[in-house]
């Protein structure tokens, strides 16, 4: 099991967005809203990476980083709200691995997390599916989903949609949620486009298996369910 990513962010709405994105992308996460809790979780969970907001209620994120660095080389990505903070992150050479200024795109953050983990030599996070599912396996490095060992030839959006579904088995995703997962600019996409991609994914799956794993929930959306053997 991959070590979790520790999110230190006091604004719940921002934390929720990050958690949703990272979990959808197959990471496990632990969230805290203060620096004090962060130090406790750092000891308890030995996270693979920390996403650290600079503006915390009890301690400045930059100070917290110094404290963390006394005991750990865990990669850190800073979240900053102000440009002068960026100057300090860069100038002080605190050992930050990357930073993003708010507002940021959750997809961008997820990509940075993956890149930092790769650079730091931590094994790139395995999507949950790779461990828990025998039926479908996601290979993030090859951007490929295979079914019982046979690669399924998916287009980019199809891959992203299927990964989002697989990452949370049985959870019903609305079309909007799937758009958010799969499109760089979800606003330019329609419900019908999601339906069309689902239809295409199903027909591609049918080439390798006669078992149905994407369930339609009328009026709601779609979910992934592992077929019973
Ligand atoms: Ca904050």
């Amino acid at each position: 099991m991959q070590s979790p990513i520790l999110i230190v962010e006091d604004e719940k709405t921002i934390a929720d967005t990050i958690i949703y994105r990272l979990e959808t992308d197959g990471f496990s996460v632990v969230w805290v809203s203060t620096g004090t809790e962060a130090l406790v979780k750092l000891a308890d969970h030995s996270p693979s990476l920390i996403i650290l907001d600079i503006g915390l209620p009890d301690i400045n994120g930059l100070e917290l980083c110094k404290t963390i660095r006394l005991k750990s080389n865990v990669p850190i990505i800073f979240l900053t709200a102000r440009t002068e903070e960026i100057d300090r992150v860069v100038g002080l050479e605190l050992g930050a691995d990357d930073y993003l200024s708010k507002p940021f795109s959750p997809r961008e953050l997820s990509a940075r997390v993956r890149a930092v983990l790769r650079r730091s030599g931590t094994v790139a996070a395995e999507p949950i599916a790779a461990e828990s599912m025998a039926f479908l396996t996601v290979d993030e490095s090859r951007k490929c989903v295979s079914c019982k060992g046979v690669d399924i030839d998916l287009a980019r959006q199809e891959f992203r949609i299927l990964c989002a579904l697989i990452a949370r088995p049985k959870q019903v995703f609305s079309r909007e949620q799937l758009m958010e997962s799969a499109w760089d600019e979800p606003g330019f996409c329609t419900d019908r486009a999601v339906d069309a991609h689902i239809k295409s994914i199903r027909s591609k799956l049918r080439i390798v298996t006669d078992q149905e794993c994407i369930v339609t929930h009328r009026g709601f959306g779609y979910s992934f369910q592992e077929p019973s053997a």
Side-chain angles (χ1 to χ4, degrees), residues 97-118:
D97 295 84
D98 205 346
Y99 65 87
L100 278 175
S101 39
K102 298 177 180 177
F104 56 86
S105 129
R107 183 186 305 289
E108 174 68 17
L109 176 61
S110 183
R112 300 282 186 98
V113 165
R114 208 171 281 287
V116 167
L117 287 176
R118 207 176 298 127

Side-chain angles (χ1 to χ4, degrees), residues 9-11 53-57 59-61 79 85 102:
E9 166 62 72
D10 57 310
E11 283 173 70
D53 180 35
I54 293 181
L56 294 171
I59 182 176
N60 181 290
L79 300 179
E85 289 175 343
K102 298 177 180 177

Side-chain angles (χ1 to χ4, degrees), residues 48-63:
S48 56
L49 183 145
I50 300 178
I51 295 170
L52 179 52
D53 180 35
I54 293 181
L56 294 171
D58 58 340
I59 182 176
N60 181 290
L62 299 172
E63 296 302 316

Side-chain angles (χ1 to χ4, degrees), residues 157-172:
Q157 256 97 25
E158 293 167 358
F159 174 76
R160 288 178 171 180
I161 289 173
L162 189 53
C163 285
L165 291 169
I166 292 172
R168 297 261 185 102
K170 294 183 181 168
Q171 176 175 322
V172 179

